[in-house]
DNA sequence: TGTTTATTGAGATTTAGTCTCAATTTTAAT
DNA sequence: ATTAAAATTGAGACTAAATCTCAATAAACA
């Protein structure tokens, strides 16, 4: 299902409205590859002529987050970065502290191991975030 | 080695000075158990009569971070929380999204697995942060 | 179509964190 | 102990992300 459909469904279930602005924003996000941040999204939309407000961008991003359509990736500088959850399987990140490059990876073994560790603690996980910081191949050479 | 000694060493190596204020702050942190945030620390010190400034608290926390004496734990609300690295081995966190309880855990298998995954990507890790969100035993029952 | 209720934008507000700069303190060398 | 050089301090200004306010507007649905 497209993100737009998911959002409509989510809004309806909560008695909220699918507005022109929310449509505009979800479509922009659908056309965005990789990671993004709210203000960057807002600027991009503004530049291509959208009249949507910064407040609405922030508000809509919070709805998308709540509905599981997007997810927080990391905190850079002092603001959050997001990515679409999409049909992507869940994955984690390696982040180069030199050039900022992000490597996405997924390991079933790692996921299973986490599940086991949670069981041992009587903890019921709903989601997790693993970020490994270090140097990518290129940056390590130098 | 005590945190204060580590800080002195770190400062000396960088040609920086061990001031009364830094001493005051590192001692407050030495006497703090668990997680803490800069402003909370500042208020606590102020209340017990310290004349240290908010700016110095933030500045010193950045030095402690750089020297590896403390580490970022998580972002709550919109500000960072830290903890002492101390003689504790490295560990990760399970965080209850209901009551806020934090379970610390360490798994050598998990650490090793991460190392392997990094090698596969040609990535040289320096540190990582794994946070598992979900419900603790008590909160899950309800 | 009309009524209800949620949403919008503009700008104010909040807040974590950083920056500025003159005055002060530390440090190491005399 | 004096001194000079360099780092640090505190007060408050500043920055920037994110949220809030509220009157005007638009969506939803009968
Ligand atoms: Mn990603
Ligand atoms: Mn901890
Ligand atoms: Zn790199
Ligand atoms: Zn709990």
């Amino acid at each position: 299902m497209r993100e737009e459909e998911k959002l409509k469904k989510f809004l309806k279930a909560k008695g909220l409205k699918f507005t022109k602005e929310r449509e505009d924003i979800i479509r922009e996000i659908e056309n965005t590859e990789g990671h993004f941040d709210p203000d960057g999204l807002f600027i991009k939309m503004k530049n291509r002529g959208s009249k949507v407000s910064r407040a609405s961008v922030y508000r809509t991003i919070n709805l998308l987050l709540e509905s599981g359509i997007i997810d927080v990736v990391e905190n850079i500088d002092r603001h959050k970065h997001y990515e679409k959850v999409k049909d992507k399987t869940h994955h984690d990140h390696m982040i180069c502290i030199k050039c900022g490059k992000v490597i996405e990876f997924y390991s079933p073994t790692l996921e299973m191991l986490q599940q086991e560790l949670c069981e041992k603690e009587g903890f019921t996980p709903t989601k997790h975030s693993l970020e490994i910081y270090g140097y990518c191949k290129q940056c390590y050479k130098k």
Side-chain angles (χ1 to χ4, degrees), chain A residues 4-59:
Chain A
E4 186 175 324
E5 295 311 310
K6 277 196 207 159
L7 177 57
K8 275 186 186 161
K9 214 167 152 184
F10 171 80
L11 292 172
K12 189 156 227 168
K14 294 205 77 173
L16 304 179
K17 293 165 179 175
F18 185 71
T19 62
K20 295 261 181 297
E21 290 80 5
R22 287 175 182 167
E23 185 179 16
D24 202 2
I25 293 163
I26 188 74
R27 290 201 175 164
E28 185 68 44
I29 289 176
E30 278 179 339
N31 292 325
T32 299
E33 282 312 311
H35 299 175
F36 64 92
D37 59 305
D39 218 63
L41 199 72
F42 169 68
I43 300 293
K44 211 167 70 165
M45 294 179 74
K46 185 160 203 170
N47 287 343
R48 61 130 233 265
S50 171
K51 290 277 181 293
V52 84
S53 71
R54 175 176 275 110
S56 282
V57 172
Y58 275 99
R59 285 188 285 232

Side-chain angles (χ1 to χ4, degrees), chain A residues 82-94:
Chain A
Y82 302 87
E83 71 180 353
K84 282 178 278 185
V85 170
K86 226 175 163 177
D87 22 36
K88 260 185 191 176
T89 30
H90 157 80
H91 62 272
D92 296 297
H93 295 114
M94 296 176 194

Side-chain angles (χ1 to χ4, degrees), chain A residues 89-110:
Chain A
T89 30
H90 157 80
H91 62 272
D92 296 297
H93 295 114
M94 296 176 194
I95 302 166
C96 178
I97 54 180
K98 191 99 184 287
C99 71
K101 182 178 173 189
V102 176
I103 299 171
E104 304 188 333
F105 70 95
Y106 175 75
S107 157
T109 321
L110 187 114

